[in-house]
């Protein structure tokens, strides 16, 4: 095996699996980029401290996000973030979940997950997961002038 001039590995032009042809097995749907999260609940998102990025391989998308300086940190409404770089694969109620780094939410375990709220998907957050009671992460949970941000990664599947 060797790497060809176009970066593919294989006998002559790709990776061959069993009796398949190389053309049918080439990883040709890889993309990296940046995305801009939006606040779909109360207020706006301030300027991110870090670049919000995504990696898409086939139908699987991983986003990295810095929710920084929400302008409304007093509302008791749950935080909802939109602006996903790709549409999720279905309109089921909840989809995907990952633990996140919440800088000022005490010792509570936080998860981020996608939820379809017609007509779009939004990212939501829950705190206290793993205990018998858990709650939404509300805007007021970030009411700390010194640190009102969250950073997380979330992986989900697209429809195409």
């Amino acid at each position: 095996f060797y790497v060809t001039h176009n970066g593919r590995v294989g006998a002559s032009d790709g990776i061959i699996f069993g009796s398949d042809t190389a053309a049918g097995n080439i990883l040709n749907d890889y993309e990296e980029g940046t995305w801009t999260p939006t606040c779909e609940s109360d207020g706006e998102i301030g300027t991110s401290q870090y670049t919000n990025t995504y990696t898409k391989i086939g139908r699987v998308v991983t986003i990295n996000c810095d929710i920084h300086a929400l302008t409304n940190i007093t509302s008791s409404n749950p935080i909802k973030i939109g602006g996903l770089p790709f549409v999720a694969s279905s309109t089921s109620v909840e989809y995907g979940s990952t633990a996140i780094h919440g800088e000022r939410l005490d010792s509570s375990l936080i998860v981020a997950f996608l939820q379809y709220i017609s007509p779009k998907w939004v990212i939501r957050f829950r705190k206290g997961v793993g205990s018998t009671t858990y709650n939404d992460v509300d805007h007021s949970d970030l009411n700390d002038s010194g640190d009102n941000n969250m950073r997380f990664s979330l992986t989900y599947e697209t429809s195409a």
Side-chain angles (χ1 to χ4, degrees):
F1 289 104
Y2 56 91
V3 178
T4 65
H5 71 280
N6 60 5
R8 296 185 338 200
V9 178
S12 62
D13 66 349
I15 298 174
I16 299 172
F17 297 95
S19 61
D20 291 342
T21 63
N25 293 297
I26 296 170
L27 180 61
N28 61 1
D29 189 7
Y30 178 88
E31 182 179 340
E32 291 181 341
T34 61
W35 68 288
T36 303
T38 59
C39 187
E40 299 293 329
S41 43
D42 299 317
E44 300 293 327
I45 296 174
T47 302
S48 292
Q49 192 171 356
Y50 302 99
T51 301
N52 299 300
T53 62
Y54 70 84
T55 302
K56 180 177 180 285
I57 302 173
R59 293 178 51 204
V60 178
V61 179
T62 298
I63 58 173
N64 298 297
C65 189
D66 175 26
I67 303 298
H68 188 76
L70 286 170
T71 59
N72 185 328
I73 54 174
T74 58
S75 169
S76 60
N77 288 327
I79 297 171
K80 297 175 189 160
I81 303 299
L84 292 170
F86 299 93
V87 175
S89 66
S90 71
T91 56
S92 63
V93 178
E94 294 179 6
Y95 185 70
S97 180
T98 185
I100 70 166
H101 172 63
E103 298 226 347
R104 69 151 294 335
L105 298 174
D106 304 319
S107 60
S108 182
L109 177 62
I110 309 297
V111 296
F113 63 98
L114 292 183
Q115 184 176 36
Y116 185 76
I117 301 176
S118 187
K120 66 177 101 175
W121 284 95
V122 295
I123 302 167
R124 304 253 333 252
F125 307 92
R126 287 199 176 124
K127 61 186 175 185
V129 175
S131 66
T132 56
T133 60
Y134 58 88
N135 299 295
D136 289 315
V137 175
D138 300 330
H139 286 262
S140 60
D141 288 322
L142 299 182
N143 193 355
D144 183 325
S145 60
D147 193 358
N148 61 352
N149 61 70
M150 295 185 296
R151 294 178 187 95
F152 64 94
S153 295
L154 178 68
T155 299
Y156 66 99
E157 193 172 271
T158 68
S159 57

